[in-house]
Amino acid sequence: AQSVTQPDIHITVSEGASLELRCNYSYGATPYLFWYVQSPGQGLQLLLKYFSGDTLVQGIKGFEAEFKRSQSSFNLRKPSVHWSDAAEYFCAVGARQGGKLIFGQGTELSVKP
Amino acid sequence: AAGVIQSPRHLIKEKRETATLKCYPIPRHDTVYWYQQGPGQDPQFLISFYEKMQSDKGSIPDRFSAQQFSDYHSELNMSSLELGDSALYFCASSSRDLSTDTQYFGPGTRLTVL
């Protein structure tokens, strides 16, 4: 079955510290992988995506993610967190050509001053 | 850049009433998706349309129906509303022709059923 697991429900980091949000997926075909961010009561904003090629992808707001096929993982990283990064982060997997997205449960990020 | 537009942004209905949610995709996008996000939940796929034809169906209740029109906008019709239908409903759009396969989400419609 296709699924996405985000093991951490809630993470708290200090402002300026590094961040890594974990994402593991189970998908039969070659996956398309995404990270979205959602502020409270808001829509989903695309941070970055992986389709093929270089396994380290850069996104907006200084985020990056690394695709590791052997570990079925697509972890999101940021070297220095800002207070404005506090939000809910969703990892998602989909097929190409208009396939639905399957989301993980989300990781809520809190940032301490 | 133009984004996905959803209307209304907020909607309050009574049980057993009907609701219609509208979605206007990004220009040149040919595929529309609907997702439902309950409180504290991840978004769940409901249904999608490509070139005005239903392309995939998820856990959409029989009380719900949707369609995509000739101008590519889509409407989600919800009847006999239940308390459990209270959620944030997202529309997303993408373009197969542009080969981006990336779904861009609208701001959502928050439906509250009383």
Side-chain angles (χ1 to χ4, degrees):
Chain A
Q2 304 163 358
S3 65
V4 177
T5 301
Q6 294 179 244
D8 305 305
I9 302 298
H10 190 200
I11 283 182
T12 299
V13 300
S14 297
E15 192 168 16
S18 63
L19 170 71
E20 182 169 28
L21 302 182
R22 295 182 291 166
C23 172
N24 293 96
Y25 66 90
S26 173
Y27 201 76
T30 301
Y32 282 13
L33 294 159
F34 306 84
W35 275 98
Y36 287 88
V37 61
Q38 184 179 32
S39 297
Q42 302 300 309
L44 294 160
Q45 182 183 21
L46 178 69
L47 283 177
L48 48 75
K49 61 190 176 187
Y50 173 78
F51 287 169
S52 63
D54 192 346
T55 56
L56 184 64
V57 293
Q58 303 296 320
I60 62 171
K61 304 184 179 186
F63 285 93
E64 66 177 27
E66 186 171 13
F67 170 61
K68 293 186 177 180
R69 185 184 299 274
S70 61
Q71 298 177 19
S72 296
S73 69
F74 189 56
N75 294 348
L76 182 71
R77 300 194 293 249
K78 186 169 185 178
S80 178
V81 171
H82 188 262
W83 64 266
S84 61
D85 293 324
E88 185 95 21
Y89 291 79
F90 288 97
C91 180
V93 65
R96 61 168 300 146
Q97 290 298 301
K100 66 185 179 186
L101 292 180
I102 298 169
F103 287 85
Q105 303 92 323
T107 297
E108 183 180 357
L109 173 66
S110 297
V111 180
K112 292 189 300 186
Chain B
V4 177
I5 298 171
Q6 291 187 246
S7 68
R9 292 292 310 278
H10 301 273
L11 191 58
I12 298 175
K13 291 285 184 179
E14 299 278 343
K15 281 195 307 183
R16 293 180 290 278
E17 286 190 322
T18 61
T20 297
L21 279 54
K22 296 184 179 183
C23 169
Y24 297 87
I26 292 171
R28 296 178 63 198
H29 280 196
D30 48 31
T31 307
V32 167
Y33 313 78
W34 287 97
Y35 293 84
Q36 177 192 57
Q37 185 181 31
Q41 304 295 313
D42 56 287
Q44 295 290 316
F45 172 74
L46 293 177
I47 196 166
S48 63
F49 294 87
Y50 168 64
E51 286 289 347
K52 293 150 279 185
M53 298 289 289
Q54 182 181 306
S55 56
D56 197 2
K57 193 172 182 180
S59 49
I60 183 170
D62 292 340
R63 300 178 289 107
F64 293 7
S65 65
Q67 58 181 328
Q68 186 179 29
F69 294 86
S70 57
D71 64 351
Y72 293 97
H73 94 273
S74 178
E75 294 183 4
L76 177 65
N77 298 292
M78 310 160 71
S79 63
S80 302
L81 287 169
E82 302 173 355
L83 295 179
D85 296 329
S86 294
L88 195 53
Y89 290 83
F90 287 111
C91 173
S93 73
S94 69
S95 171
R96 294 192 192 187
D97 289 345
L98 294 178
S99 299
T100 62
D101 289 320
T102 298
Q103 295 182 30
Y104 295 91
F105 284 77
T109 294
R110 182 169 297 283
L111 172 66
T112 302
V113 181
L114 302 176

